[in-house]
Amino acid sequence: MAAAIIDGKAFAEGLRGRVAAAIPAFAAAIGRAPGLAVVLVGEDPASQVYVRSKHKATVAAGMESFEHRLPATASQAELIALVERLNVDETVDGILVQLPLPAGMDEKAVIAAIDPAKDVDGFHVINSGKLAVGDADALVPCTPLGCLMLLKDRLGDLSGLEAVVIGRSNIVGKPMAQLLLQESCTVTIAHSRTRDLPAVVRRADIVVAAVGRPDMVKGDWLKPGATVIDVGINRVATEDGKGHLTGDVDFASAADIAGAITPVPGGVGPMTIAVLLRNTLVAAHRRAGLEAPKGL
Ligand code: NAD
C-alpha cells in the first residue's frame, strides 16, 4: 500500500473540539447556546440512527438539541407547519429535516419551507444558488464541505488541479463540484451516463466518489499519486449475516496507486456531523449579528 490514509475521524474530532470551544463566548454574548432542531418523520431505522448520533454530538458540543418526531402517517401540511414554527423560534438556529421523507411527501416543498438562514443542511435553493454564484454567505451541504476540508488539509492550495466528481446528486456531487470550482480546480462531473468512466477518472489529481456502488472505482482507474475521497457508504452482505460497510472505491487496489485515500468507515462519514455542528455555529452567529469564529 502506497497511499497515506486521510484520517477523517481525527479531523472531525478536531473540528468538533473547535466548535465546542466557541460555544461559551457565544452563550456569554447572547445568553443562550446555539440550538439545532432535527425533525424525523417515520421509523426509517437508518434515519433513527443518524438522528440519535446528531443529537449526541450536538449535546456533546455544548449546543441545545431539539428533537421533533412525527409519525409516518403525518401529513405534509403538518410537517411544514412544524418547520414554520421552528423558523420563528428564536432559540433555534439550525433546522434539519432528516431525509428521506416517507413516500408521498414532496422533499423539495418541505426544504423550501425552511428559513434559508437556518438551513444548516444547505439544501434550500437559496443556499445552493448562493454557492453557485460564490456568495460567502451560503450555508453549504455538510458532506461535500467536509470533503473539501479534508482535501485542503491534505493538499493545501487546490488551484489548477484536475478534479473528477463521480455522482451528480444535489446533496453531494453538485455542491462538491461547485466547491472545487471555487478553489480553482478544473472540474469534471461524471455520472451514470458518462462514457469510459475509467479514462475520465484517470485524468484526475482529485477523485471524489459519491455513487452508492460498492467498490466501483478500481486502482487501475487512478492516476498514480491521486488524492481519493470516498463518500460512499454501502452495506454489503457477508457470510456471517452481519454485513459490513464499504465505500464506492475498491480500497485495496486503490491504496496501491493513490497518493492519499479516505477509508470507509473513518473517512468522510465522521465529517458530516462535525460540519453540521460547524454550520449550526455559523448560522447562530450570523443570526445574532456576530462574526463567526475564524478557522472552522
Ligand atoms: P444518489 O443516489 O443521489 O446519487 C448517485 C449518483 O451516482 C447519481 O448522480 C448517478 O448519476 C451516479 N451514478 C450511479 N451509477 C453510476 C455509475 N455506474 N457510474 C457513474 N456514476 C453513477 O446518491 P448520493 O446521495 O449522492 O450518495 C452517494 C453515496 O454517498 C451513497 O453511498 C451514500 O450512502 C453516500 N453518502 C455518504 C454521506 C456521508 O456522510 N459520508 C453523505 C451522503 C451520502
Side-chain angles (χ1 to χ4, degrees):
M1 189 178 89
I5 302 297
I6 299 174
D7 189 345
K9 193 163 175 251
F11 192 97
E13 267 168 34
L15 177 56
R16 282 161 62 160
R18 294 193 291 282
V19 169
I23 306 292
F26 178 88
I30 303 303
R32 61 170 181 85
L36 172 63
V38 176
V39 180
L40 175 61
V41 188
E43 310 286 328
D44 180 68
S47 294
Q48 295 196 10
V49 173
Y50 292 141
V51 166
R52 212 171 308 130
S53 17
K54 284 168 189 172
H55 169 76
K56 271 167 74 180
T58 308
V59 172
M63 294 192 200
E64 214 43 76
S65 168
F66 308 104
E67 249 183 78
H68 295 270
R69 287 168 184 262
L70 294 179
T73 51
S75 69
Q76 184 170 313
E78 281 172 84
L79 174 57
I80 288 180
L82 170 60
V83 167
E84 285 170 349
R85 283 199 299 280
L86 296 171
N87 282 344
V88 295
D89 183 337
E90 275 313 307
T91 62
V92 172
D93 298 292
I95 302 170
L96 181 154
V97 178
Q98 184 64 46
L99 303 179
L101 292 172
M105 282 204 188
D106 177 356
E107 287 185 354
K108 277 190 184 159
V110 174
I111 291 167
I114 299 173
D115 175 354
K118 297 188 177 187
D119 169 39
V120 284
D121 251 346
F123 296 160
H124 194 290
V125 288
I126 293 282
N127 282 313
S128 34
K130 283 182 173 179
L131 175 62
V133 298
D135 187 329
D137 261 10
L139 283 167
V140 177
C142 302
T143 302
L145 183 53
C147 294
L148 184 74
M149 288 176 180
L150 294 178
L151 283 167
K152 287 174 81 168
D153 183 57
R154 170 83 203 160
L155 297 171
D157 184 11
L158 308 185
S159 170
L161 296 179
E162 287 273 351
V164 171
V165 179
I166 317 173
R168 56 175 159 182
S169 72
N170 291 332
I171 293 173
V172 189
K174 281 185 207 158
M176 187 73 244
Q178 296 285 4
L179 286 169
L180 290 165
L181 196 55
Q182 250 175 40
E183 297 297 323
S184 301
C185 292
T186 303
V187 183
T188 303
I189 306 179
H191 47 76
S192 52
R193 303 293 175 89
T194 296
R195 282 186 235 154
D196 199 356
L197 183 60
V200 172
V201 172
R202 226 167 265 131
R203 295 205 302 260
D205 303 303
I206 293 171
V207 179
V208 180
V211 185
R213 290 186 172 239
D215 305 333
M216 185 184 78
V217 177
K218 308 296 181 197
D220 64 3
W221 295 20
L222 299 173
K223 177 173 165 177
T227 303
V228 179
I229 304 290
D230 188 352
V231 183
I233 301 178
N234 309 292
R235 184 163 287 283
V236 292
T238 49
E239 277 179 9
D240 63 9
K242 288 183 181 163
H244 80 110
L245 286 186
T246 187
D248 291 342
V249 178
D250 175 31
F251 186 87
S253 65
D256 280 340
I257 311 291
I261 185 167
T262 57
V264 177
V268 174
M271 290 299 292
T272 300
I273 290 184
V275 176
L276 173 67
L277 301 178
R278 178 256 177 217
N279 280 357
T280 304
L281 183 74
V282 168
H285 279 77
R286 288 193 192 140
R287 288 188 355 93
L290 300 172
E291 199 184 334
K294 302 257 181 267
L296 290 173

